Amino acid sequence: MTPDYTLVIHGGAGEEMMLNTKVVEVIEFALHTALTLGAQVLQQGGSSLDAVQRSVEALEDCFLFNA
């Protein structure tokens, strides 16, 4: 079953070519985690505002991002 919503985040701009493969993998994992946490809010019937807030909080809590 596909969800009836779209949740989009942006990890910021940067020099990806300057990052090694392991760092990029960690960044992608952190972004995926932020999206998953927001999606869980929606799947449990939460509001879109609560879902966005949860995703942003995940980015704020991650040292990789300056959210």
Side-chain angles (χ1 to χ4, degrees), residues 33-51:
T33 299
L35 281 173
T36 299
L37 291 169
Q40 286 175 345
V41 171
L42 294 172
Q43 291 166 358
Q44 296 169 359
S47 71
S48 57
L49 180 59
D50 289 339

Side-chain angles (χ1 to χ4, degrees), residues 8-9 14-15 23 31 43 47 51 56 63 65-66:
V8 179
I9 60 173
E15 298 294 325
V23 174
L31 291 170
Q43 291 166 358
S47 71
V56 170
F63 72 96
F65 307 107
N66 183 11

Side-chain angles (χ1 to χ4, degrees), residues 7-67:
L7 186 58
V8 179
I9 60 173
H10 189 283
E15 298 294 325
E16 185 175 331
M17 62 176 27
M18 305 273 294
L19 302 175
N20 67 45
T21 305
K22 289 295 181 190
V23 174
V24 171
E25 289 174 4
V26 171
I27 290 170
E28 289 175 353
F29 178 80
L31 291 170
H32 185 268
T33 299
L35 281 173
T36 299
L37 291 169
Q40 286 175 345
V41 171
L42 294 172
Q43 291 166 358
Q44 296 169 359
S47 71
S48 57
L49 180 59
D50 289 339
V52 170
Q53 182 176 347
R54 184 62 192 106
S55 289
V56 170
E57 286 172 353
L59 294 173
E60 290 174 337
D61 291 343
C62 183
F63 72 96
L64 295 168
F65 307 107
N66 183 11

